[in-house]
Amino acid sequence: MAEKKAKNDRSLRFYNEVLGLERLHYGLWNPEDEFSITGVKKAQKRYEQHLIDQIPAGSKSILDVGCGTGIMSRNLIDMGYDVEGLSPDINQKEIFTQQNRTRFHFCRFEDFEPDNQYDCVIMSESAQYIPVNMLFRVAGKAIKENKYLLVCDYFLSNSASGPLAKSGHNLDQFMAEAGKRGFKIIYDEDITDKVVRTLDLGKNIADRILLAINIGTEKIRQKYAFLTRFILWMFRKKINSVQEDMRLLDSEEFKKNKIYKLMLFQLNAVDNRG
Ligand SMILES: C[S@@+](CC[C@H](N)C(=O)[O-])C[C@H]1O[C@@H](n2cnc3c(N)ncnc32)[C@H](O)[C@@H]1O
């Protein structure tokens, strides 16, 4: 894979290496879940299981697109599926290949040239990274006729604006492209209300980290007030971007701009493979 296309996603590394999360997606929360890292791990496991439950009966071969650490792939292999993983991220390649003996495709999905066709292609929070037209074009080549594409991700509403509108596909455009390429929706679930607690927890952790930095630097800031003002001015762009990032963790803002969906598509036609 061309070096410049290889990714090293630091925010995903933060979730994995600092917070100790094996799964890199939102969680599906129940009201009684503990509001903590333990709680989010449980909710993420429930999310993964819910996704696996939607794999149509009779499926055998699976491509896990944007497979992250490979934990879902490992669970699917243990359940008897033939699984291959795909990710353009160099760290995930290492983790995945250490844990799984199965085939791994080190590339972006939009560059993937399948030499195999699968019963089910799964995109667990990875569809948002792939340009919509390429997603359905490549999926059309990778999926057997009448077989399935399972997508779980957030999408933008038509009125989305501001920092939250920077990630995610527009839902209407996504569905239009699916239809154009012969993908028919056969299961559609809105899980927004069940996933947003993941953001509330992320915000709570970020607030506590910022508070700790504030307390830790209090003496220095008092002693060197002028220098502090100068440093804050020097790093004003970075500080603004941190403030913007904090808005990304606001669950009410999320609900105003986005919808989190679990969708199963069936590829009906073969005349869409151009
Ligand atoms: C939010 S993580 C989800 C990881 C995993 N599927 C999970 O549910 O825990 C997004 C994944 O998509 C991968 N990704 C990013 N850009 C991609 C692309 N263009 N094609 C395929 N995967 C991509 C990332 O490397 C990462 O594995």
Side-chain angles (χ1 to χ4, degrees):
M1 177 180 183
E3 208 50 44
K4 65 180 167 48
K5 285 186 187 166
K7 291 194 177 194
N8 175 7
D9 193 321
R10 288 185 180 78
S11 51
L12 295 181
R13 284 183 66 194
F14 176 80
Y15 302 137
N16 181 231
E17 294 169 26
V18 181
L19 298 183
L21 299 177
E22 283 187 293
R23 295 173 175 85
L24 306 176
H25 50 72
Y26 283 55
L28 203 58
W29 293 79
N30 276 352
E32 70 277 11
D33 288 337
E34 192 183 298
F35 190 61
S36 64
I37 292 288
T38 308
V40 77
K41 284 184 181 172
K42 200 169 162 192
Q44 286 180 320
K45 221 168 160 181
R46 189 179 297 119
Y47 171 115
E48 180 182 292
Q49 189 53 50
H50 191 52
L51 196 59
I52 291 174
D53 289 345
Q54 310 312 319
I55 298 172
S59 304
K60 181 78 180 150
S61 54
I62 289 182
L63 178 66
D64 183 2
V65 173
C67 52
T69 59
I71 186 162
M72 183 174 73
S73 291
R74 199 168 68 219
N75 290 337
L76 289 168
I77 291 166
D78 289 346
M79 291 169 77
Y81 291 104
D82 295 335
V83 184
E84 296 179 12
L86 181 151
S87 171
D89 189 294
I90 185 75
N91 298 296
Q92 293 168 23
K93 177 187 179 216
E94 270 155 35
I95 300 173
F96 185 98
T97 47
Q98 272 162 21
Q99 295 189 0
N100 296 295
R101 292 210 172 157
T102 189
R103 196 170 176 203
F104 179 84
H105 305 274
F106 182 40
C107 64
R108 303 185 306 180
F109 187 67
E110 55 270 41
D111 302 326
F112 180 48
E113 289 174 7
D115 56 13
N116 194 5
Q117 283 189 317
Y118 307 88
D119 295 325
C120 189
V121 167
I122 303 182
M123 296 182 180
S124 166
E125 229 174 84
S126 57
Q128 59 180 273
Y129 299 91
I130 306 162
V132 182
N133 59 338
M134 290 308 290
L135 185 155
F136 287 105
R137 180 187 290 211
V138 178
K141 292 181 191 161
I143 297 170
K144 292 179 190 164
E145 196 178 342
N146 293 321
K147 295 297 181 176
Y148 304 96
L149 171 66
L150 185 55
V151 175
C152 201
D153 215 327
Y154 58 72
F155 294 88
L156 298 174
S157 63
N158 288 331
S159 58
S161 62
L164 274 105
K166 287 184 191 160
S167 70
H169 296 307
N170 174 282
L171 182 60
D172 285 353
Q173 285 168 11
F174 191 83
M175 299 312 281
E177 192 65 27
K180 216 165 87 186
R181 291 267 166 195
F183 286 85
K184 190 175 105 188
I185 183 106
I186 55 172
Y187 181 76
D188 187 0
E189 184 182 358
D190 178 350
I191 55 171
T192 314
D193 284 333
K194 290 185 176 170
V195 300
V196 286
R197 224 165 145 208
T198 312
L199 289 173
D200 297 334
L201 183 70
K203 185 163 182 325
N204 180 278
I205 292 170
D207 283 342
R208 279 188 286 146
I209 291 172
L210 291 178
L211 180 65
I213 293 172
N214 211 2
I215 294 170
T217 57
E218 196 173 58
K219 264 198 175 161
I220 298 173
R221 282 185 289 116
Q222 281 166 358
K223 199 167 171 191
Y224 302 104
F226 175 74
L227 192 62
T228 303
R229 279 201 299 279
F230 179 68
I231 291 170
L232 288 176
W233 179 80
M234 286 277 290
F235 288 100
R236 63 194 182 286
K237 280 196 182 150
K238 190 76 209 153
I239 292 166
N240 284 343
S241 105
V242 170
Q243 281 164 349
E244 197 162 274
D245 283 352
M246 290 301 279
R247 277 187 66 193
L248 301 178
L249 296 174
D250 184 326
S251 55
E252 288 308 314
E253 284 289 316
F254 183 95
K255 286 197 265 185
K256 273 187 222 154
N257 290 281
K258 296 187 181 190
I259 178 166
Y260 205 117
K261 288 245 190 186
L262 171 54
M263 296 188 282
L264 181 66
F265 296 91
Q266 185 172 27
L267 175 59
N268 283 332
V270 278
D271 59 356
N272 64 348
R273 300 191 176 190

